[in-house]
Amino acid sequence: MIKAILIFNNHGKPRLSKFYEHYTEDTEQQIIRETFHLVSKRDENVCNFLEGGMLIGGSDYKLIYRHYATLYFVFCVDSSESELGILDLIQVFVETLDKCFENVCELDLIFHVDKVHNILAEMVMGGMVLETNMNEIITQVDAQNKMEKSETFIFQSTRQDR
Amino acid sequence: MQGTDCMCLFITFLTGDKALDGYSKKKYICKLLFIFLLGHDIDFGHMEAVNLLSSNKYTEKQIGYLFISVLVNSNSDLIRLINNGIKNDLSSRNPTFMNLALHCIANVGSREMAEAFASEVPRILVAGDTVDSVKQSAALCLLRLNRTSPDLVPMGEWTARVVHLLNDQHLGVVTAATSLITTLALKSPDDFKTSVSLAIARLSRIVTSASIDLQDYTYYFVAAPWLSVKLLRLLQCYPPPEDAALRSRLTECLETILNKAQEPPKSKKVQHSNAKNAVLFEAIALIIHHDSEPTLLVRACNQLGQFLQHRETNLRYLALESMCTLASSEFSHEAVKTHMETVINALKTERDVSVRQRAVDLLYAMCDRSNAKQIVAEMLSYLETADYSIREEIVLKVAILAEKYAVDYTWYVDTILNLIRIAGDYVSEEVWYRVIQIVINRDDVQGYAAKTVFEALQAPACHENLVKVGGYILGEFGNLIAGDSRSSPLVQFNLLHSKFHLCSVPTRALLLSAYIKFINLFPEIKATIQDVLRSDSQLRNADVELQQRAVEYLRLSCIASTDILATVLEEMPPFPERESSILAKLKRKKGRGNLPDIDEARKNVNVNGNGNSEPSDKIEATNKVSSPSFTDLLNLNSTPSAGNTLLVDVFSDNSTFSATEVSEENFARFICKNNGVIYENQLLQIGLKSEYRQNLGRMYVFYGNKTSTQFLNFSTSVTSTDILRTQLNIHAKTVDPVIEGGAQVQQILNIECLSGFTDTPVLNVQFRYGGMMQNISLKLPVMLNKFFQPTEMSSQDFFQRWKQLGAPQQEVQKIFKSKHPMDAEVTKAKIIGFGVALLEGVDPNQENFVGAGVIHTKSIQVGCLLRLEPNVQAQMYRLTLRTSKDSVSQRLCDLLSEQF
């Protein structure tokens, strides 16, 4: 099971956090900080797996991460997940973001928190992987966007009528 | 900036939602989410989100759900409103809305939600007309509910139909269903047996398909890697299939996967090899799990061997990890050993600490009698440069291997002394206790040990742990090397004493004990040692323990005859054979989950039939008991504190209530209950009725006059010790000074717990009966556990918290004989009466009881976990309590252990 999905930048500023188990707000922030310290001190070209920090449950959990330009994508998982599988999942996630935002960058994550959450929700649900097929994910996201647009349109037009 | 922004948002919300259009609402909620992400509390906007979620517009509904699943924790007051919205959406037949609702249930996963939807979700999952994407969500939603509240999701007719989802057209549905079935099958394997054949069939179709067949689910030229991994995981819940045809089909699949791994890559992209190898590693895991096909096992091992030198770090890491489990299979143990040089090389050259750690694990797993010396030597040499974070673990591993595979114990002693020399700071007490234990138990090594420590102590700077071992061993066996003039008694003593002043108090205490042992061993240096003991720095040492030892040892050496000395200071008797406490320590350190442990893994092999059995569970059980008692045996850390507190207790009791005897005969009965008669004599009966909420309590005290004449001047008071007064407020309402014959009056006590307390308030009752003043004092049953609020939690949460409270001072354990017949139901009632929630199905051992609760005091709240392990044969219990405050742990343990 995936316990948490964290995205933070090279300075440790969180850009997305999604916990699939309940923690208090303080603990969540501490976990983000701890994870950042664990991950950021690692060289490039070392392996993408390491044991989790104490707060998240120590060596029973693994941190699987990828570092893209300014952002770290970290998945915290238990032993029931395949490490390479999760690594691929991160790749799928990033590729999907890239398609949805056209050359995704850190700012997209800040200004479209809701969209990022929605895309993630299409992939991971309650800590389990829901969908790994990028086309399927993008179809869903597109359908949502369409619905959103049509509603905004109706809404704006009614307002103009008034 | 954020402050003002927050205020703006807050005001906008307060002024009502009519002014805002959908877009602005969305904008504000997104801002709130971002503020929350940065670590600021958001405690408003919840209601607004609930309204959005109930909207008919998709945009608003979506943002409402998003807010709820990110921000609302499981015990929010709004859950009922949210549930209402979810209910509407689930019955809406609009797939998008249904998906949103299912996502919300899965992400929040609270108990209330489970209660509300546990029957609805399975229905949606197996209904014929549900669309694929909803089925997918429903499967995972059900999985989540099953994880958080398994009791609420009973198996039913839907189980059979869930299994058939493995045949579904849509691979996404199959993937979700496989995850669900894997979890369910772990809990009740029999109900899902049929899934094995379906999973194998499905896997076979994926593996043998040309990659184009699966279109979208082909990931970088690998057919449905994620689903393959999931199916292979599911198969790992079961033994190899018995049906021959099925079995050969599975073997075929696994062979194909192994073959494909050898083929030249279809793409240079790392994603291609990742996906391919994800399946491969999972297939190897299944082969290892089945442990029945020697050819496959050896092939797997060779395949992993190639990865050991792969240029991808990730693959090296995973290969080392998989090999760890492979090493425990008897078929492949030898094959794994052939890679020893590579692994040792990895330990030396690998840049990444994660990989090096896996290499250490693997060396540990592949170690046996034939290669122990080499592996231990390599680990020792690695230790000199090892990362600080893993040194302690390596030390433990070296100590275990050295002991386990020691053929001659001189090698063992050398190894441990080396260990202390190289990484003294990381050598825990268990390690050096153990070496002493072994030296004492084995005559053949004692002389050698004495000689070796004597030599090691010659070094100008040696680690304190070495001084401890040296002091202990020379104190016991120094006579064995005293014949040599280079290590004559005086030389030995001077050598030890030269280290004395650099050591900490416990070590000095140990050295003092060694000195008195020297007086017995070598009467010729008695005078020298007495001089040392007599010096001011010993006799007037500021440390009580050292002073006491010096005084007592000096006296002992002066007044006791040689015979008495010889008896008192006799050589330590052999320790009873115990399994290593180091092993237990390593297990604690690694956590039980993914421990690459030799014993445990080999035990799995035993299940399959043969191999020597190593009762690792028993080891652990005995170890928990043994490590503290072992410390006692060495008798190094005995502090006089126990005596002190006793003394204080006596004084405090006397000073406060000297006049009358305080009755406490019924006190213990009220620890686990709140109502009943606490005191009765020929004249008066006192009954209690009490209720507690959080840190407040109210106690109704009923005074019943059993005679037919009046009680006059009736008065009561509650007294507390000075300390208790700062911890507990008790306010007693006044009572009528006259109680008629046969009548009963009631008095109300209001109680407030300010902080943790251990003392007990005393109720004093005075009245005049028949011209005589009567005085009665009794301990009021107000104890710390009364302020418990029970806490329900899942097994996972429980163990996670249990681990978090792992510091030694947070745990209190008591082993005691049962005073009453051991009835599980009675025990349960008592634990619930004690105030904690009794957690069923948390402890893997059904016989044990675990509970959790929070003590509410005005100043702090103290979370408390407890575990009670009965041993019916021995009529004993072991009670373990962990709380964040040591005094609380102790008090609760004292209170509860009286009850059984």
PDB file of all heavy atoms in Angstrom, chain B residues 672-693:
ATOM      1  N   CYS B 672     -11.167  -1.357  38.472  1.00  0.00           N
ATOM      2  CA  CYS B 672     -11.813  -1.646  37.185  1.00  0.00           C
ATOM      3  C   CYS B 672     -13.319  -1.436  37.222  1.00  0.00           C
ATOM      4  O   CYS B 672     -14.022  -1.846  36.299  1.00  0.00           O
ATOM      5  CB  CYS B 672     -11.493  -3.050  36.730  1.00  0.00           C
ATOM      6  SG  CYS B 672      -9.792  -3.227  36.215  1.00  0.00           S
ATOM      7  N   LYS B 673     -13.839  -0.887  38.292  1.00  0.00           N
ATOM      8  CA  LYS B 673     -15.270  -0.572  38.266  1.00  0.00           C
ATOM      9  C   LYS B 673     -15.518   0.717  39.027  1.00  0.00           C
ATOM     10  O   LYS B 673     -14.653   1.198  39.770  1.00  0.00           O
ATOM     11  CB  LYS B 673     -16.082  -1.727  38.840  1.00  0.00           C
ATOM     12  CG  LYS B 673     -15.807  -2.043  40.296  1.00  0.00           C
ATOM     13  CD  LYS B 673     -16.752  -3.114  40.778  1.00  0.00           C
ATOM     14  CE  LYS B 673     -16.731  -3.188  42.304  1.00  0.00           C
ATOM     15  NZ  LYS B 673     -17.761  -4.047  42.853  1.00  0.00           N
ATOM     16  N   ASN B 674     -16.682   1.268  38.833  1.00  0.00           N
ATOM     17  CA  ASN B 674     -16.953   2.589  39.377  1.00  0.00           C
ATOM     18  C   ASN B 674     -17.979   2.594  40.510  1.00  0.00           C
ATOM     19  O   ASN B 674     -18.084   3.564  41.238  1.00  0.00           O
ATOM     20  CB  ASN B 674     -17.442   3.524  38.280  1.00  0.00           C
ATOM     21  CG  ASN B 674     -16.296   3.959  37.388  1.00  0.00           C
ATOM     22  OD1 ASN B 674     -15.148   3.978  37.828  1.00  0.00           O
ATOM     23  ND2 ASN B 674     -16.599   4.274  36.143  1.00  0.00           N
ATOM     24  N   ASN B 675     -18.751   1.542  40.608  1.00  0.00           N
ATOM     25  CA  ASN B 675     -19.835   1.557  41.576  1.00  0.00           C
ATOM     26  C   ASN B 675     -19.712   0.381  42.531  1.00  0.00           C
ATOM     27  O   ASN B 675     -19.199  -0.658  42.164  1.00  0.00           O
ATOM     28  CB  ASN B 675     -21.191   1.451  40.862  1.00  0.00           C
ATOM     29  CG  ASN B 675     -21.317   2.522  39.789  1.00  0.00           C
ATOM     30  OD1 ASN B 675     -20.796   3.628  39.949  1.00  0.00           O
ATOM     31  ND2 ASN B 675     -21.966   2.174  38.688  1.00  0.00           N
ATOM     32  N   GLY B 676     -20.231   0.565  43.758  1.00  0.00           N
ATOM     33  CA  GLY B 676     -20.247  -0.537  44.700  1.00  0.00           C
ATOM     34  C   GLY B 676     -20.053  -0.045  46.122  1.00  0.00           C
ATOM     35  O   GLY B 676     -19.993   1.165  46.384  1.00  0.00           O
ATOM     36  N   VAL B 677     -19.977  -1.004  47.028  1.00  0.00           N
ATOM     37  CA  VAL B 677     -19.808  -0.663  48.439  1.00  0.00           C
ATOM     38  C   VAL B 677     -18.323  -0.682  48.751  1.00  0.00           C
ATOM     39  O   VAL B 677     -17.640  -1.657  48.471  1.00  0.00           O
ATOM     40  CB  VAL B 677     -20.541  -1.695  49.320  1.00  0.00           C
ATOM     41  CG1 VAL B 677     -20.222  -1.442  50.781  1.00  0.00           C
ATOM     42  CG2 VAL B 677     -22.019  -1.621  49.059  1.00  0.00           C
ATOM     43  N   ILE B 678     -17.846   0.405  49.292  1.00  0.00           N
ATOM     44  CA  ILE B 678     -16.411   0.456  49.540  1.00  0.00           C
ATOM     45  C   ILE B 678     -16.080   0.204  51.000  1.00  0.00           C
ATOM     46  O   ILE B 678     -14.991  -0.224  51.339  1.00  0.00           O
ATOM     47  CB  ILE B 678     -15.791   1.783  49.047  1.00  0.00           C
ATOM     48  CG1 ILE B 678     -14.271   1.692  49.125  1.00  0.00           C
ATOM     49  CG2 ILE B 678     -16.328   2.972  49.827  1.00  0.00           C
ATOM     50  CD1 ILE B 678     -13.569   2.575  48.204  1.00  0.00           C
ATOM     51  N   TYR B 679     -17.042   0.446  51.870  1.00  0.00           N
ATOM     52  CA  TYR B 679     -16.721   0.261  53.283  1.00  0.00           C
ATOM     53  C   TYR B 679     -17.969  -0.146  54.033  1.00  0.00           C
ATOM     54  O   TYR B 679     -19.073   0.336  53.748  1.00  0.00           O
ATOM     55  CB  TYR B 679     -16.171   1.574  53.863  1.00  0.00           C
ATOM     56  CG  TYR B 679     -15.801   1.463  55.326  1.00  0.00           C
ATOM     57  CD1 TYR B 679     -14.578   0.951  55.703  1.00  0.00           C
ATOM     58  CD2 TYR B 679     -16.704   1.859  56.309  1.00  0.00           C
ATOM     59  CE1 TYR B 679     -14.238   0.830  57.028  1.00  0.00           C
ATOM     60  CE2 TYR B 679     -16.371   1.726  57.644  1.00  0.00           C
ATOM     61  CZ  TYR B 679     -15.134   1.208  57.999  1.00  0.00           C
ATOM     62  OH  TYR B 679     -14.807   1.076  59.309  1.00  0.00           O
ATOM     63  N   GLU B 680     -17.799  -1.024  55.009  1.00  0.00           N
ATOM     64  CA  GLU B 680     -18.963  -1.418  55.804  1.00  0.00           C
ATOM     65  C   GLU B 680     -18.487  -1.899  57.161  1.00  0.00           C
ATOM     66  O   GLU B 680     -17.544  -2.687  57.254  1.00  0.00           O
ATOM     67  CB  GLU B 680     -19.740  -2.516  55.066  1.00  0.00           C
ATOM     68  CG  GLU B 680     -21.022  -2.874  55.771  1.00  0.00           C
ATOM     69  CD  GLU B 680     -22.028  -3.537  54.829  1.00  0.00           C
ATOM     70  OE1 GLU B 680     -21.607  -4.069  53.782  1.00  0.00           O
ATOM     71  OE2 GLU B 680     -23.218  -3.514  55.131  1.00  0.00           O
ATOM     72  N   ASN B 681     -19.095  -1.406  58.230  1.00  0.00           N
ATOM     73  CA  ASN B 681     -18.914  -2.024  59.549  1.00  0.00           C
ATOM     74  C   ASN B 681     -20.297  -2.164  60.188  1.00  0.00           C
ATOM     75  O   ASN B 681     -21.311  -2.033  59.493  1.00  0.00           O
ATOM     76  CB  ASN B 681     -17.919  -1.226  60.390  1.00  0.00           C
ATOM     77  CG  ASN B 681     -18.400   0.183  60.688  1.00  0.00           C
ATOM     78  OD1 ASN B 681     -19.557   0.533  60.440  1.00  0.00           O
ATOM     79  ND2 ASN B 681     -17.505   1.015  61.192  1.00  0.00           N
ATOM     80  N   GLN B 682     -20.346  -2.384  61.510  1.00  0.00           N
ATOM     81  CA  GLN B 682     -21.664  -2.639  62.099  1.00  0.00           C
ATOM     82  C   GLN B 682     -22.555  -1.398  62.040  1.00  0.00           C
ATOM     83  O   GLN B 682     -23.771  -1.501  62.091  1.00  0.00           O
ATOM     84  CB  GLN B 682     -21.544  -3.071  63.567  1.00  0.00           C
ATOM     85  CG  GLN B 682     -20.909  -4.413  63.767  1.00  0.00           C
ATOM     86  CD  GLN B 682     -19.459  -4.235  64.188  1.00  0.00           C
ATOM     87  OE1 GLN B 682     -18.788  -3.265  63.832  1.00  0.00           O
ATOM     88  NE2 GLN B 682     -18.963  -5.183  64.962  1.00  0.00           N
ATOM     89  N   LEU B 683     -21.927  -0.214  61.961  1.00  0.00           N
ATOM     90  CA  LEU B 683     -22.703   1.013  62.058  1.00  0.00           C
ATOM     91  C   LEU B 683     -23.018   1.607  60.688  1.00  0.00           C
ATOM     92  O   LEU B 683     -24.119   2.056  60.428  1.00  0.00           O
ATOM     93  CB  LEU B 683     -21.917   2.067  62.856  1.00  0.00           C
ATOM     94  CG  LEU B 683     -21.385   1.629  64.216  1.00  0.00           C
ATOM     95  CD1 LEU B 683     -20.578   2.757  64.842  1.00  0.00           C
ATOM     96  CD2 LEU B 683     -22.531   1.234  65.128  1.00  0.00           C
ATOM     97  N   LEU B 684     -22.044   1.599  59.846  1.00  0.00           N
ATOM     98  CA  LEU B 684     -22.099   2.463  58.671  1.00  0.00           C
ATOM     99  C   LEU B 684     -21.741   1.680  57.414  1.00  0.00           C
ATOM    100  O   LEU B 684     -20.859   0.823  57.428  1.00  0.00           O
ATOM    101  CB  LEU B 684     -21.076   3.597  58.863  1.00  0.00           C
ATOM    102  CG  LEU B 684     -20.890   4.579  57.710  1.00  0.00           C
ATOM    103  CD1 LEU B 684     -22.072   5.529  57.641  1.00  0.00           C
ATOM    104  CD2 LEU B 684     -19.612   5.371  57.928  1.00  0.00           C
ATOM    105  N   GLN B 685     -22.467   2.025  56.357  1.00  0.00           N
ATOM    106  CA  GLN B 685     -22.100   1.468  55.053  1.00  0.00           C
ATOM    107  C   GLN B 685     -21.819   2.634  54.113  1.00  0.00           C
ATOM    108  O   GLN B 685     -22.589   3.590  54.069  1.00  0.00           O
ATOM    109  CB  GLN B 685     -23.250   0.615  54.523  1.00  0.00           C
ATOM    110  CG  GLN B 685     -22.901  -0.064  53.220  1.00  0.00           C
ATOM    111  CD  GLN B 685     -24.120  -0.630  52.520  1.00  0.00           C
ATOM    112  OE1 GLN B 685     -25.115   0.061  52.337  1.00  0.00           O
ATOM    113  NE2 GLN B 685     -24.035  -1.899  52.155  1.00  0.00           N
ATOM    114  N   ILE B 686     -20.736   2.574  53.400  1.00  0.00           N
ATOM    115  CA  ILE B 686     -20.429   3.643  52.447  1.00  0.00           C
ATOM    116  C   ILE B 686     -20.421   3.059  51.043  1.00  0.00           C
ATOM    117  O   ILE B 686     -19.672   2.118  50.761  1.00  0.00           O
ATOM    118  CB  ILE B 686     -19.066   4.293  52.747  1.00  0.00           C
ATOM    119  CG1 ILE B 686     -19.054   4.824  54.178  1.00  0.00           C
ATOM    120  CG2 ILE B 686     -18.782   5.423  51.769  1.00  0.00           C
ATOM    121  CD1 ILE B 686     -17.755   5.456  54.573  1.00  0.00           C
ATOM    122  N   GLY B 687     -21.273   3.615  50.209  1.00  0.00           N
ATOM    123  CA  GLY B 687     -21.346   3.146  48.824  1.00  0.00           C
ATOM    124  C   GLY B 687     -20.881   4.241  47.883  1.00  0.00           C
ATOM    125  O   GLY B 687     -20.916   5.432  48.211  1.00  0.00           O
ATOM    126  N   LEU B 688     -20.442   3.853  46.728  1.00  0.00           N
ATOM    127  CA  LEU B 688     -19.939   4.833  45.751  1.00  0.00           C
ATOM    128  C   LEU B 688     -20.607   4.631  44.405  1.00  0.00           C
ATOM    129  O   LEU B 688     -20.919   3.507  44.006  1.00  0.00           O
ATOM    130  CB  LEU B 688     -18.431   4.639  45.525  1.00  0.00           C
ATOM    131  CG  LEU B 688     -17.488   4.901  46.660  1.00  0.00           C
ATOM    132  CD1 LEU B 688     -16.073   4.680  46.170  1.00  0.00           C
ATOM    133  CD2 LEU B 688     -17.647   6.325  47.151  1.00  0.00           C
ATOM    134  N   LYS B 689     -20.788   5.747  43.756  1.00  0.00           N
ATOM    135  CA  LYS B 689     -21.231   5.689  42.371  1.00  0.00           C
ATOM    136  C   LYS B 689     -20.451   6.796  41.677  1.00  0.00           C
ATOM    137  O   LYS B 689     -20.462   7.932  42.132  1.00  0.00           O
ATOM    138  CB  LYS B 689     -22.724   6.014  42.320  1.00  0.00           C
ATOM    139  CG  LYS B 689     -23.506   5.158  41.364  1.00  0.00           C
ATOM    140  CD  LYS B 689     -24.974   5.467  41.490  1.00  0.00           C
ATOM    141  CE  LYS B 689     -25.581   5.493  40.114  1.00  0.00           C
ATOM    142  NZ  LYS B 689     -27.015   5.764  40.176  1.00  0.00           N
ATOM    143  N   SER B 690     -19.735   6.486  40.620  1.00  0.00           N
ATOM    144  CA  SER B 690     -18.934   7.561  40.040  1.00  0.00           C
ATOM    145  C   SER B 690     -18.978   7.517  38.529  1.00  0.00           C
ATOM    146  O   SER B 690     -19.214   6.475  37.914  1.00  0.00           O
ATOM    147  CB  SER B 690     -17.487   7.486  40.528  1.00  0.00           C
ATOM    148  OG  SER B 690     -17.081   6.168  40.666  1.00  0.00           O
ATOM    149  N   GLU B 691     -18.792   8.684  37.961  1.00  0.00           N
ATOM    150  CA  GLU B 691     -18.716   8.764  36.508  1.00  0.00           C
ATOM    151  C   GLU B 691     -17.598   9.728  36.128  1.00  0.00           C
ATOM    152  O   GLU B 691     -17.337  10.695  36.844  1.00  0.00           O
ATOM    153  CB  GLU B 691     -20.054   9.218  35.923  1.00  0.00           C
ATOM    154  CG  GLU B 691     -20.640  10.429  36.603  1.00  0.00           C
ATOM    155  CD  GLU B 691     -22.126  10.588  36.279  1.00  0.00           C
ATOM    156  OE1 GLU B 691     -22.792   9.564  36.065  1.00  0.00           O
ATOM    157  OE2 GLU B 691     -22.587  11.733  36.241  1.00  0.00           O
ATOM    158  N   TYR B 692     -16.962   9.430  35.013  1.00  0.00           N
ATOM    159  CA  TYR B 692     -15.826  10.241  34.586  1.00  0.00           C
ATOM    160  C   TYR B 692     -15.983  10.615  33.126  1.00  0.00           C
ATOM    161  O   TYR B 692     -16.435   9.814  32.312  1.00  0.00           O
ATOM    162  CB  TYR B 692     -14.518   9.456  34.756  1.00  0.00           C
ATOM    163  CG  TYR B 692     -14.191   9.209  36.198  1.00  0.00           C
ATOM    164  CD1 TYR B 692     -14.671   8.077  36.846  1.00  0.00           C
ATOM    165  CD2 TYR B 692     -13.434  10.119  36.927  1.00  0.00           C
ATOM    166  CE1 TYR B 692     -14.400   7.844  38.179  1.00  0.00           C
ATOM    167  CE2 TYR B 692     -13.149   9.892  38.260  1.00  0.00           C
ATOM    168  CZ  TYR B 692     -13.640   8.756  38.878  1.00  0.00           C
ATOM    169  OH  TYR B 692     -13.356   8.529  40.193  1.00  0.00           O
ATOM    170  N   ARG B 693     -15.634  11.850  32.857  1.00  0.00           N
ATOM    171  CA  ARG B 693     -15.566  12.254  31.447  1.00  0.00           C
ATOM    172  C   ARG B 693     -14.319  13.078  31.259  1.00  0.00           C
ATOM    173  O   ARG B 693     -14.118  14.073  31.960  1.00  0.00           O
ATOM    174  CB  ARG B 693     -16.798  13.071  31.056  1.00  0.00           C
ATOM    175  CG  ARG B 693     -17.677  12.318  30.053  1.00  0.00           C
ATOM    176  CD  ARG B 693     -18.744  13.199  29.476  1.00  0.00           C
ATOM    177  NE  ARG B 693     -18.196  14.251  28.651  1.00  0.00           N
ATOM    178  CZ  ARG B 693     -18.567  15.525  28.760  1.00  0.00           C
ATOM    179  NH1 ARG B 693     -19.450  15.893  29.659  1.00  0.00           N
ATOM    180  NH2 ARG B 693     -18.048  16.414  27.953  1.00  0.00           N
TER     181      ARG B 693
END
